[in-house]
Every structure is written in C-alpha cells, then in structure tokens.
C-alpha cells in the first residue's frame, strides 16, 4: 500500500475555496485515490475517488496530475460545517487493507 | 434507513474482563472492517472480512478476535482487555464491487481501567 502525506492542519474562512494536497509518491498502476471526511464524534464518510485527471461530485473535486504522485481535494466555498478531518487514501484493487493515516484537520472560521 | 450500528456506544471496563462490541449492517454488504482511532495515530485497521466465514488481519490485530457467521454481523471480541486498548472503535462495511466506499458506524468509545 502506498504511503500518503498530507498537511496536519489548515485554517480557512467561510466562502473560500480550500485545496488539500496529498502526496503519494509510490502509487502503483492499479491504485486509486480516495478521500474521506470525518466530523467530530462521527465515523468517516466517503467523499470522492479518482484515478486520473479530474473528478467532480456534489461535495468536492479531485485533481490528479498525469504522474499521479499527488492529488488535490478541492472544496468550493467552504462553510463552518465543513470543519472536519480529511483523509487521503491510496486504495489498491484486489486488496482489502486500508491505511487512513492521521488526515488533515480543516478548521473553517467565520 | 441504510446504516451500520454498533453497540455499546460507550463502555468502561476493567483489565481482563472479556467483552464484545457488536456491529451490524442492513445493506447486504459483503465487506466489513474494524478500526481503532487514537490521537496522533489516526485510524488503524484491526481486522476485516471479505464475506461470511472469511476474515483476515489488518495492521493492529493483536489482542482482538472477530467472527463473521452471518453477513450482517461482525462482532469485535476482546478476550482479555488491557489499558492500551482504550480507544475509539469504528466498524465499517461496503459492497464487494465498490469496496472503497465504506460506510462507517457511529463509533464505540472503550475505556479499559
């Protein structure tokens, strides 16, 4: 499983776009990049997954460059309710193990 | 409502007293997994199950047991709990063909004195 590195914490203000970058230098051909969100006192929640280029859903966008050694989760116009921990995972097709790491603690300020 | 439930939500126990944390899902998911979450260490996988009667170790399986006799249930067993197992535990489940989209339970906060 490829190891990921992401910032420990970030602060932002309401209404701003937030970009959280994750580094995964040892990503393999069969690996996907998956992001989860965890609110205080709750279990993590799946946000988005991608393999290459750009993926967008109602919650976020995920940008993956051609070399796939990093990825960026983009949250448009954050609100106070987006305050959470965001986890970047590299998931390998055919395996059942998951490494969540410590995530990025995002704090949105008024 | 589709959900993963865990019981109990909070538990305080003493060293050596066997306990079981139950996990149940109503989504007919094949894959289930247990994690523990500790400050500074993030979420770590304890055990997982690919289907009924099929289980395997995650990163931190020592001191834990699991069983998967039914598709919907995946209990976590601590035969002889120790203080270093004080933690927040999460159960998760997902479909076999969409395994990376895991649905997590609300968590069980365990304190071992």
């Amino acid at each position: 499983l490829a190891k990921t590195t992401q910032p420990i914490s970030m602060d932002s203000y309401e209404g701003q776009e937030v970009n959280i970058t994750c580094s995964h230098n040892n990503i393999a051909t069969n690996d996907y990049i998956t992001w989860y969100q965890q609110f205080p006192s709750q279990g993590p929640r799946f946000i988005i997954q991608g393999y290459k280029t750009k993926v967008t859903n109602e919650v976020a966008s995920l940008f993956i460059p051609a070399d796939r050694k990093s990825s960026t989760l983009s949250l448009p116009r954050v609100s106070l309710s987006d305050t959470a921990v965001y986890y970047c995972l590299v998931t390998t097709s055919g395996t059942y193990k998951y490494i969540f790491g410590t995530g990025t603690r995002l704090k949105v300020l008024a | 409502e589709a959900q993963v439930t865990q019981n109990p939500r909070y538990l305080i126990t003493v060293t050596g007293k066997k306990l079981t944390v139950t996990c149940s899902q109503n989504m007919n998911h094949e894959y289930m997994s247990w994690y523990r979450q500790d400050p500074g260490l993030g979420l770590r996988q304890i055990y997982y199950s690919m289907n009924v009667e099929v289980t395997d170790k995650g990163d931190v399986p020592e001191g834990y047991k699991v069983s998967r006799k039914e598709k919907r249930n995946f209990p976590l067993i601590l035969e002889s709990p120790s203080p270093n197992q004080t933690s927040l535990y999460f159960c998760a489940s997902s479909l076999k063909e969409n395994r990376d989209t895991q649905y997590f339970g609300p968590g069980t906060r365990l304190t071992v004195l």
Side-chain angles (χ1 to χ4, degrees), chain A residues 1 32 34 36 38 41-46 49 87 89 91-103, chain B residues 9 31 35 37 40-43 45 48 50 57-59 88 90 94 98-107:
Chain A
L1 294 172
Y32 283 75
T34 308
Y36 278 79
Q38 184 179 23
S41 303
Q42 293 185 27
R45 180 178 76 119
F46 172 88
Q49 183 181 60
Y87 296 94
L89 289 77
T91 55
T92 301
S93 176
T95 70
Y96 300 88
K97 286 192 173 184
Y98 293 91
I99 298 176
F100 275 77
T102 55
Chain B
R9 294 288 313 281
Y31 180 85
Y35 298 86
Q37 186 168 38
L41 296 176
L43 270 162
Q45 193 175 31
Y48 57 89
M50 294 77 83
K57 297 176 182 178
D59 283 336
L88 180 58
F90 289 101
S94 61
N98 196 11
R99 200 165 52 242
D100 295 342
T101 306
Q102 295 184 64
Y103 293 82
F104 280 77

Side-chain angles (χ1 to χ4, degrees), chain A residues 4-93:
Chain A
T4 60
T5 303
Q6 38 181 140
I8 293 173
S9 65
M10 296 177 69
D11 287 346
S12 180
Y13 288 94
E14 280 191 294
Q16 290 187 330
E17 178 184 72
V18 170
N19 295 310
I20 305 174
T21 298
C22 178
S23 170
H24 27 78
N25 291 320
N26 296 323
I27 193 167
T29 305
N30 290 341
D31 291 344
Y32 283 75
I33 298 124
T34 308
W35 286 80
Y36 278 79
Q37 173 191 56
Q38 184 179 23
F39 296 118
S41 303
Q42 293 185 27
R45 180 178 76 119
F46 172 88
I47 303 178
I48 197 166
Q49 183 181 60
Y51 183 80
K52 60 181 179 180
T53 62
K54 177 183 174 183
V55 180
T56 297
N57 62 22
E58 64 278 3
V59 176
S61 294
L62 178 60
F63 299 91
I64 305 168
D67 68 3
R68 305 201 325 124
K69 291 185 184 300
S70 67
S71 59
T72 299
L73 176 75
S74 181
L75 305 171
R77 298 179 299 282
V78 294
S79 64
L80 296 175
S81 63
D82 292 313
T83 292
V85 178
Y86 293 82
Y87 296 94
C88 166
L89 289 77
V90 169
T91 55
T92 301
S93 176

